[in-house]
């Protein structure tokens, strides 16, 4: 791979390119054509999505009926494998649907999504709850000791059977009917919950009429606020968007405490406003239905149901994990708050530090202790160089290379597409979509638009974010936190791309949901490696590399801040999520009131707000994977810290070839071909050590840290 050529192309990437003529795509269910077999997405209409998605659902129904009604005796090929291979047309249209709903949405697309969600849920229920289909799978499962099948085929049979059981295959007919009703209602409510938060983010803002209130914010922040004002029709003012980058800029740097309070209140009140975006009744209905669903499975509450198939054995074990972390983290937080209060008093702040002041005085504390200003780092974190550094680190560590592909059909000209290879063999395709635009959901995330099947189908994955394009032709830059998140999400993308499973159903997303985050959390560790920083950290204005002293300050501050999960704001969110779902037994729950009680029981300092209030918690309520599962970030961070120690102690550190190859072979590329606990043992030679994460940050152990 000629990285100089790639880098030149990346640096020319400024968020704009030839838009191309409007193209009407072929049928969305048709096999993907073109030179690389990638989806055609330009020119898709909401009506086309709705029509073809509904048609693809009917096609899969026909495929499932054919499997269930096959007169031949059940076999691996005509039952398990046939089920695994069904739904290709639906997978293709769902990929385009996902691209539009997440990255190019509007009112018409959102209306279609509201219709599609329950239809798709109904189909999933039909597959899981079909008694004839399950009987055929069960028959193959019972024959496994006598069948001459590969280990992958045996594992596929086990995974599909277990998945059908967890979805209700053994419920009686009345319970199955009730489950289908509940799932359909949940699908619509979860879609509505996410839409409400998105609408609050897109439509609410804080208008600033007096520029003096922006004191402390730099020129780039002010220009962004002015650009937002023009967009919202407030050209004589400045506007702070209801988006994380804009809110954090104010929270960290604005000297005016009233402005910090106004902006923070806007951010923390998403989903709480009375009217059409009020998530209080939505979240309450979701919890009630989840509780009813748990009862159908004979569980006391939804948390018990959600833990089936996870690594952590049950909600009580997860509760212990979170509460064990609370005390040492709370003690350290108390010391920091005391130091911040001293700075605030000297600063003339009237009264105690409010939650809206936390980030501002956290910055002041880091300046006092380390001589560090987070804004000084941002010019060194150019978006194009970040992408180059991520790809370079992956190539050096795993031998993975990225080749830009021209003329691939995309929904926006700022998206780039790469062919990914390892050992001169294509292993997949990566879409890189890093800039904010209208119709795109906020935040950063990775998507798998097509699951890989080793030897036959290459995965198609995407890396998304919402960086602001550089103003007036300047390179786009991000703060350290966003850079770290990008390395995290790139870790997910690498995990999807590395998949060696011959079956989609035993790929990475079939892993327990409390293991899925582990490879991505580990990938964050490559960002601050000296070799990575030396490639990445070039000042956007001067072209000078980041001074060694500043790089060392950054490392010390990152260690001081600790990872996301070892902080009270996260622990409060995770504990609230778990406790609410342990209450979810079919009763009516006032989510906001119960959250307030839980936070009081935790003795969360008033200076600390949860990362997400319950009524804006996408993880808890907009999908089911993280319901009663926000704890997984702490669990996965512990696993990642343990895995990292193998690299730290190797001669080559995080770029050690032998350790990297063993990690790639035993975990990264393995998907769910073996249980996650076995994959971990195969790499580490033992079970995970719960002390690893606290050891990394010298919290509550006194043991030598692992970095």
């Amino acid at each position: 791979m000629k990285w100089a050529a790639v880098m030149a192309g990346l640096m020319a990437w400024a968020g704009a390119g030839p838009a191309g003529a409007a193209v009407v795509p072929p049928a969305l269910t048709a096999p993907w054509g073109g030179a690389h077999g990638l989806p055609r997405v330009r020119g898709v209409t909401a009506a086309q999505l709705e029509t073809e998605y509904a048609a693809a659902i009917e096609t899969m129904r026909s495929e499932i009926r054919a499997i269930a009604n096959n007169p031949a005796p059940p076999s691996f090929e005509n039952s398990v494998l046939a089920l695994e291979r069904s739904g290709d047309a639906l997978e293709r249209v769902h990929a385009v649907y996902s691209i539009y709903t997440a990255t190019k949405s509007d009112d018409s697309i959102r209306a279609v999504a509201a219709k599609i969600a329950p239809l798709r849920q109904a189909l999933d229920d039909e597959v899981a709850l079909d008694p004839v289909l399950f009987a055929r799978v069960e028959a193959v499962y019972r024959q496994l000791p006598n069948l001459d099948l590969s280990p992958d085929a045996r594992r596929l049979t086990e995974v599909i059977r277990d998945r059908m059981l967890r979805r209700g295959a053994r419920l009686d007919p009345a319970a199955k009917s009730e489950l289908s009703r509940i799932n359909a209602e949940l699908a619509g409510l979860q879609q509505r919950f996410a839409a409400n938060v998105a609408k609050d983010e897109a439509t609410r803002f804080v208008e600033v009429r007096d520029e003096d209130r922006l004191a402390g914010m730099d020129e780039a922040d002010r220009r962004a606020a002015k650009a937002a004002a023009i967009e919202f029709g407030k050209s004589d003012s400045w506007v702070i968007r209801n988006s994380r980058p804009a809110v954090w800029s104010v929270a960290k740097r604005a000297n005016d405490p009233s402005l910090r309070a106004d902006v923070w209140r806007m951010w923390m009140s998403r989903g709480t406003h009375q009217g059409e975006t009020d998530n209080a009744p939505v979240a309450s209905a979701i919890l009630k239905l989840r509780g009813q669903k748990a009862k159908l499975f004979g569980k006391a509450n939804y948390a018990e149901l959600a833990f089936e198939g996870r690594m952590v054995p049950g909600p009580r074990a997860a509760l212990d994990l979170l509460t064990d972390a609370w005390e040492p983290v709370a003690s350290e937080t108390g010391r920091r708050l005391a130091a911040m209060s001293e700075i605030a008093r000297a600063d003339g702040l009237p009264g105690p530090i409010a939650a809206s002041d936390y980030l501002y005085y956290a910055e002041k504390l880091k300046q006092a202790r380390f001589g560090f200003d987070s804004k000084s780092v941002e010019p060194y974190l150019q978006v194009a160089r970040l992408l180059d550094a991520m790809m370079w680190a992956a190539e050096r560590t795993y031998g993975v290379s990225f080749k830009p592909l021209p003329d691939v059909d995309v929904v926006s000209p700022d998206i780039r597409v790469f062919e990914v290879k390892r050992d001169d063999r294509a292993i997949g395709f990566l879409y890189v979509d890093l800039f904010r635009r209208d119709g795109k959901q906020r935040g950063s995330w990775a998507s798998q638009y097509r699951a890989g099947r080793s030897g036959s189908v290459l995965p198609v994955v995407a890396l998304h974010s919402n960086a602001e394009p550089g103003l007036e032709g300047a390179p786009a830059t991000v703060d350290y936190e966003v850079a770290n998140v990008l390395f995290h999400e790139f870790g997910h993308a690498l995990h999807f791309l590395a998949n060696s499973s011959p079956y989609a159903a035993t790929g990475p997303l079939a892993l327990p949901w409390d293991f899925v985050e582990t490879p991505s959390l580990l990938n964050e560790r490559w960002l601050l490696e000296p070799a990575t920083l030396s490639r990445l950290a070039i000042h956007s204005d001067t072209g000078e590399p980041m001074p060694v002293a500043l790089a060392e300050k950054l490392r010390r501050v990152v260690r001081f801040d600790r990872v996301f999960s070892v902080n009270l704001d996260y622990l409060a969110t995770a504990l609230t999520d778990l406790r609410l779902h342990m209450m979810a037994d079919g009763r009516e729950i006032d989510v906001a009131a119960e959250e307030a009680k839980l936070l009081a029981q935790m003795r969360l300092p008033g200076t600390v707000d949860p990362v997400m209030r319950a009524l804006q918690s996408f993880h808890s309520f907009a999908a089911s994977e993280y319901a009663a599962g926000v704890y997984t970030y702490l669990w996965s961070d512990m696993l990642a810290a343990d895995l990292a120690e193998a690299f730290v102690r190797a001669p080559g550190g995080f770029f050690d070839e032998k350790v990297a190859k063993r990690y790639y072979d035993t975990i990264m590329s393995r998907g769910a071909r073996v249980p996650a606990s076995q994959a971990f043992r195969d790499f580490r030679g033992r079970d995970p050590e719960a002390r690893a994460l606290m050891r990394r940050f010298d919290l509550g152990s006194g043991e030598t840290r692992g970095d």
Side-chain angles (χ1 to χ4, degrees):
M1 186 65 175
K2 297 188 181 300
W3 276 103
V6 174
M7 192 61 211
L10 292 175
M11 295 306 291
W13 174 33
V23 175
V24 177
L28 304 180
T29 54
W32 295 344
H36 303 287
L38 295 172
R40 297 291 299 274
V41 295
R42 277 185 293 163
V44 173
T45 66
Q48 183 184 16
L49 270 177
E50 182 177 358
T51 299
E52 295 202 38
Y53 205 116
I57 286 175
E58 291 306 316
T59 298
M60 185 166 178
R61 277 202 176 98
S62 298
E63 294 169 350
I64 295 302
R65 281 196 296 269
I67 298 169
N69 297 332
N70 190 336
S75 68
F76 172 77
E77 288 76 14
N78 70 19
S79 300
V80 175
L81 185 60
L83 184 56
E84 151 71 15
R85 289 177 174 172
S86 66
D88 280 353
L90 182 57
E91 181 185 39
R92 288 190 288 268
V93 70
H94 185 76
V96 179
Y97 166 85
S98 298
I99 289 169
Y100 271 83
T101 55
T103 75
K104 196 176 176 60
S105 188
D106 56 24
D107 287 343
S108 63
I109 296 293
R110 284 187 285 272
V112 168
K115 296 176 184 177
I116 290 296
L119 293 179
R120 179 61 187 267
Q121 182 61 58
L123 175 67
D124 290 346
D125 283 344
E126 288 174 30
V127 174
L129 303 180
D130 187 318
V132 178
L133 191 63
F134 178 70
R136 295 186 71 89
V137 172
E138 179 75 357
V140 177
Y141 174 78
R142 293 184 180 279
Q143 295 170 26
L144 281 180
N146 304 316
L147 296 177
D148 183 20
L149 295 176
S150 69
D152 280 312
R154 291 176 181 276
R155 177 66 176 162
L156 177 65
T157 305
E158 294 166 353
V159 166
I160 287 181
R161 173 186 178 268
D162 288 349
R163 184 173 64 192
M164 295 179 79
L165 285 173
R166 287 197 296 272
R167 291 180 178 177
R170 281 190 174 153
L171 296 178
D172 62 47
K176 286 180 178 180
S177 177
E178 179 66 1
L179 177 62
S180 294
R181 180 193 69 80
I182 290 171
N183 284 342
E185 286 192 43
L186 282 172
L189 287 165
Q190 290 169 178
Q191 185 82 22
R192 183 176 161 196
F193 185 98
N196 286 348
V197 176
K199 189 163 187 178
D200 274 354
E201 291 181 355
T203 60
R204 296 184 183 274
F205 57 87
V206 170
E207 182 181 2
V208 179
R209 295 181 179 178
D210 181 358
E211 188 176 7
D212 288 346
R213 296 189 75 196
L214 300 178
M217 300 177 66
D218 66 15
E219 187 58 30
D221 289 332
R222 293 174 187 235
R223 288 201 306 267
K226 179 57 73 173
I230 293 170
E231 182 179 326
F232 281 98
K234 305 286 184 181
S235 57
D236 292 335
S237 302
W238 293 261
V239 158
I240 309 303
R241 297 178 185 277
N242 201 8
S243 68
R244 202 173 195 279
V247 170
W248 256 242
S249 291
V250 171
K252 286 183 175 183
R253 290 182 275 277
N255 294 336
D256 182 352
S258 67
L259 177 60
R260 297 198 299 266
D262 289 345
V263 170
W264 193 251
R265 189 180 306 113
M266 171 182 70
W267 179 251
M268 295 306 297
S269 65
R270 292 166 299 148
T272 69
H273 302 283
Q274 292 186 353
E276 65 171 322
T277 63
D278 185 4
N279 268 338
V282 182
S284 179
I286 288 171
L287 283 182
K288 184 176 182 178
L289 287 167
R290 286 175 176 171
Q292 293 172 355
K293 180 174 178 176
K295 293 290 188 178
L296 292 176
F297 285 85
K299 304 295 184 182
N301 54 62
Y302 185 78
E304 289 191 3
L305 179 65
F307 272 78
E308 290 192 350
R310 292 182 180 173
M311 289 185 76
V312 175
R316 288 290 169 186
L319 194 62
D320 289 344
L321 177 76
L322 293 167
T323 52
D324 286 349
W326 184 275
E327 183 177 349
V329 174
S331 296
E332 177 59 26
T333 301
R335 288 188 286 271
R336 293 188 187 186
L337 288 175
M340 289 161 59
S341 295
E342 289 184 14
I343 295 172
R345 281 193 295 271
D347 202 31
L349 182 74
I353 298 175
S356 57
D357 301 317
Y358 184 91
L359 291 173
Y360 183 79
Y361 286 104
E363 288 293 298
K364 295 268 191 180
L365 179 60
K366 285 180 274 193
Q367 289 170 10
R369 288 197 178 179
F370 305 106
F372 178 82
D373 179 359
S374 63
K375 197 66 175 175
S376 66
V377 172
E378 186 169 332
Y380 293 97
L381 302 178
Q382 299 177 53
V383 172
R385 298 198 73 90
L386 264 168
L387 181 58
D388 166 73
M390 290 188 290
M391 291 179 170
W392 174 84
E395 179 168 17
R396 181 169 170 184
T397 308
Y398 306 120
V400 177
S401 63
F402 301 82
K403 175 187 175 183
L405 296 179
D407 303 322
V408 174
D409 193 48
V410 290
V411 296
S412 178
D414 57 7
I415 297 172
R416 296 292 178 261
V417 184
F418 298 83
E419 181 183 39
V420 187
K421 290 187 174 183
R422 188 168 187 261
D423 298 329
D424 293 324
R425 179 179 62 86
I427 63 170
F429 299 93
L430 173 68
Y431 286 63
V432 177
D433 175 20
L434 300 184
F435 293 99
R436 182 186 67 81
R437 62 177 172 274
D438 291 341
K440 186 178 182 181
Q441 73 181 36
R442 300 295 188 255
S444 301
W445 71 100
S447 300
Q448 179 177 261
Y449 290 132
R450 182 174 68 196
R453 298 174 179 89
S454 178
S456 59
V457 177
L458 295 178
V460 177
V461 308
L463 175 66
H464 304 281
S465 192
N466 275 275
E468 293 287 344
L471 295 174
E472 300 173 1
T477 61
V478 295
D479 63 19
Y480 172 78
E481 185 177 12
V482 173
N484 188 71
V485 168
L486 284 173
F487 265 75
H488 174 100
E489 298 302 337
F490 189 64
H492 281 306
L494 288 174
H495 194 197
F496 300 154
L497 289 163
N499 177 36
S500 66
S501 173
Y503 308 117
T506 53
L509 289 178
L511 285 162
W513 213 251
D514 51 4
F515 185 82
V516 165
E517 294 292 340
T518 302
S520 54
L521 288 165
L522 181 61
N523 199 65
E524 296 174 13
R525 301 292 288 270
W526 273 265
L527 171 54
L528 288 181
E529 283 297 291
T532 308
L533 270 187
S534 67
R535 185 176 191 91
L536 158 65
I538 304 297
H539 199 284
S540 59
D541 293 332
T542 68
E544 294 296 317
M546 179 184 286
V548 173
L550 179 57
E552 183 53 33
K553 285 180 183 179
L554 174 61
R555 292 189 186 94
R556 291 176 66 199
V557 166
V558 169
R559 176 172 170 73
F560 177 75
D561 283 341
R562 301 187 301 272
V563 291
F564 164 74
S565 67
V566 192
N567 281 282
L568 289 189
D569 53 358
Y570 158 79
L571 292 172
T573 298
L575 281 163
T576 298
D577 164 73
L578 186 56
R579 288 285 196 183
L580 285 173
H581 284 95
M582 291 172 75
M583 293 170 58
D585 56 7
R587 75 181 94 166
E588 295 281 350
I589 297 173
D590 184 330
V591 173
E594 292 299 335
E595 177 187 37
K597 291 178 187 176
L598 292 169
L599 294 176
Q601 291 170 8
M602 295 174 209
R603 299 195 300 277
L604 181 70
T607 311
V608 178
D609 267 336
V611 170
M612 292 175 288
R613 292 281 181 182
L615 298 185
Q616 62 205 211
S617 180
F618 179 91
H619 291 69
S620 296
F621 292 106
S624 60
E625 291 87 354
Y626 282 105
V630 178
Y631 78 89
T632 190
Y633 286 96
L634 179 62
W635 172 257
S636 295
D637 257 325
M638 180 270 289
L639 297 178
D642 198 333
L643 294 170
E645 289 182 357
F647 284 93
V648 169
R649 294 168 181 169
F654 280 96
F655 294 104
D656 190 89
E657 291 184 10
K658 290 183 179 179
V659 175
K661 183 180 186 307
R662 190 158 52 85
Y663 173 66
Y664 191 93
D665 291 344
T666 57
I667 292 181
M668 280 283 284
S669 67
R670 223 162 173 187
R673 296 173 72 183
V674 300
S677 55
Q678 179 183 330
F680 187 96
R681 282 193 297 271
D682 288 346
F683 179 70
R684 289 297 272 145
R686 55 164 174 75
D687 288 331
E689 287 189 358
R691 300 186 306 277
L693 184 57
M694 296 298 154
R695 186 160 61 229
R696 179 182 174 190
F697 296 106
D698 291 335
L699 288 173
S701 71
E703 298 179 67
T704 303
R705 65 178 181 265
D707 60 357

